[in-house]
Amino acid sequence: MRLVFMGTPDFSVPALHALHEAGHEIVAVYSQPPRPAGRGKALRPSPVQQAAEALGLCVRHPVSLRNKPEEWQAFADLNADVAIVAAYGLILPQPMLDAPRLGCLNIHASLLPRWRGASPVQSAILAGDTQSGVTIMQMEAGLDTGPMLLREAVPLTPQTTASTLHDTLSALGASMVVRILAHTPARLPTPHPQPEDGVTYAPRLTRDDGRIDWQQSADAIDRRIRALTPWPGTFTTLADGTVLKIGAAQPDPDMPASADPGTIVDDRLSVACGDGTIRLTRLQRPGKGMMEAEAFLRGQPLPAGTHLGTPHD
């Protein structure tokens, strides 16, 4: 088929590669513009732009598509059979949704209608879901509301992290979209409306979402750490305001909370929670890299009785 691909982050790259390897004609790739990055703040192209250019594909990166009829016409002039969208980052106006012969398909990292929105990977882990997955849907004007062409699930375990789930769903989405397009060029599989029941929304995350609230249960804190690492990252503070980033932790079901929430209760960085105890296993202090707890404690001892978090945590 004659395709347009639209995506920006690492999540989208496997789908681009899979479509290229399947022999589809990718007439253009749309991605977010290069952004300042690193200490020198030099402009860095997105992962999708880098992958597309390595494949010799034409890349476009408009800053905005809203009220841009010239962009809409340029998109329509590509005469694409279908556009594949995977974490692109810009809302497609209706003229662009209508331009490809078979419309625009979105690779969404959740089992719709659960976790529509910006952070489906993290939200599934935060909520303690037992499964996640990928939905290929026909795009329409609403936020992730379009009818579904294909939907496949993967299990979530107590060890699942945002990083591992991201990679699993990225690979799954690439496989699914290739299978979708293997149908006859004249049409796609028949889409089915999303159920009206079970709709939830995954909000856009901010840095403050990573603040550990020690009043929560050990299991909830563990899910937050697994869901929000590496971005936006989870953190707590010492009494002097020093920020400690938390990279990994392990709930201890055999150790009930024996102190006020946020209190370190032993020499292994076990912390009392609102319900239960959790042991911090990877930490980072300002100006240092993330390290295992044993190495961290050699540089900054945190004895039993140390309180983590602000008085409001």
Side-chain angles (χ1 to χ4, degrees), residues 230-253:
W231 193 90
T234 52
F235 66 95
T236 189
T237 55
L238 298 177
D240 63 1
T242 299
V243 174
L244 300 180
K245 294 184 179 179
I246 311 299
Q250 180 63 54
D252 190 341

Side-chain angles (χ1 to χ4, degrees), residues 11 109 115 119-126 132 161-163 165-166 169 202 227:
F11 178 86
W115 304 129
S119 60
V121 169
Q122 296 90 342
S123 293
I125 298 173
L126 277 171
S132 181
T161 67
S163 294
L165 183 56
H166 169 282
L169 299 186

Side-chain angles (χ1 to χ4, degrees), residues 1-4 24-25 27 75-84 94-105 138-139 149 180-189:
M1 286 192 182
R2 184 177 173 89
L3 307 181
V4 173
H24 294 288
E25 181 187 5
V27 295
F75 183 78
D77 288 344
L78 293 169
N79 295 315
D81 292 314
V82 65
I84 303 299
Q94 194 64 47
M96 295 183 71
L97 294 175
D98 295 338
R101 180 174 63 87
L102 299 174
C104 301
L105 303 185
Q138 190 90 45
M139 294 179 68
L149 287 81
I180 286 284
L181 298 186
H183 285 67
T184 61
R187 62 182 181 85
L188 296 172

Side-chain angles (χ1 to χ4, degrees), residues 268-269 279-283 291-298:
R268 300 169 64 240
L269 285 180
R279 184 164 65 88
L280 308 182
T281 57
R282 285 179 58 80
L283 303 90
M291 61 186 71
E292 299 299 319
E294 294 81 0
F296 179 92
L297 289 172
R298 286 196 293 269

Side-chain angles (χ1 to χ4, degrees), residues 199-238:
V199 174
T200 58
Y201 288 92
R204 190 170 299 279
L205 297 170
T206 68
R207 182 180 180 277
D208 203 54
D209 289 312
R211 182 185 298 276
I212 299 296
D213 178 1
W214 299 106
Q215 300 284 347
Q216 293 187 327
S217 70
D219 286 342
I221 291 170
D222 171 53
R223 292 197 302 269
R224 183 163 297 273
I225 293 168
R226 290 188 288 112
L228 302 186
T229 300
W231 193 90
T234 52
F235 66 95
T236 189
T237 55
L238 298 177

